[in-house]
Amino acid sequence: MKNKIKAMNTEKIKTLEKLLDTIEIVENARSIDGLTAEERVQLEKASVSLRNVERSIIRIKTNELVDTLTEDAKALDYLADEINLSAQKLAGVAKAIEKASNVVKAFVKIAAKAISAGLV
C-alpha cells in the first residue's frame, strides 16, 4: 500500500513539474510580439486552465497530507496511552509523544482551515 501511495505521490510531483514547465512556456509565449488578439486569448485560456489543474493537484496533495497527519496523530495518541499503561518509568516518553501528537493535531486544524478558506 505504501509503495502505491509513494508511486502516486511521485507521479503527482512529476505532473506538477511538467505543469510548471508548461505554464512557463505559455507565459513566455504571451510576450511574443505580433500575436493576434485570438492568439493572446488562446494563450490566456491555456494559462488559466493550466493553473487550475495545478491548484487542483496541490489541493489534493494538501488534503492527503491532512488525512495522513490525522491518522499519524491518532497512532501517536495510541502509543502514548500504551506506554503510559505499560510502565511508569516511561511516562516521560509518553508525555513527549502526547505533546508531539498535539502539535500535529494543531497543524492539521490550521491546514484544514487554510484549505477550507481557499488559501491553499
Side-chain angles (χ1 to χ4, degrees):
M1 181 68 169
K2 286 192 176 197
N3 287 337
K4 287 183 182 181
I5 292 171
K6 186 176 181 181
M8 187 186 298
N9 287 338
T10 300
E11 287 306 311
K12 286 180 190 172
I13 291 168
K14 286 181 183 177
T15 303
L16 279 172
E17 288 173 351
K18 183 64 176 169
L19 279 169
L20 291 173
D21 290 344
T22 306
I23 288 169
E24 185 176 347
I25 290 168
V26 170
E27 291 303 313
N28 288 337
R30 291 174 68 189
S31 66
I32 295 173
D33 289 333
L35 291 176
T36 66
E38 183 178 337
E39 290 169 332
R40 290 190 187 286
V41 168
Q42 289 172 338
L43 289 172
E44 176 68 22
K45 286 180 180 178
S47 180
V48 169
S49 294
L50 288 165
R51 290 189 186 282
N52 286 339
V53 172
E54 175 193 26
R55 281 191 293 278
S56 294
I57 292 171
I58 291 169
R59 197 173 305 116
I60 290 167
K61 191 87 173 120
T62 303
N63 288 336
E64 288 174 359
L65 175 64
V66 167
D67 292 343
T68 300
L69 288 176
T70 299
E71 289 302 313
D72 290 344
K74 287 179 187 176
L76 287 173
D77 284 341
Y78 175 78
L79 287 171
D81 290 343
E82 290 295 307
I83 290 171
N84 266 331
L85 292 174
S86 69
Q88 209 54 6
K89 65 184 175 186
L90 296 178
V93 174
K95 289 290 183 203
I97 293 171
E98 285 177 27
K99 285 180 182 178
S101 175
N102 290 334
V103 169
V104 171
K105 288 177 193 175
F107 176 75
V108 168
K109 285 180 184 178
I110 292 168
K113 285 181 184 177
I115 291 167
S116 67
L119 300 174
V120 178

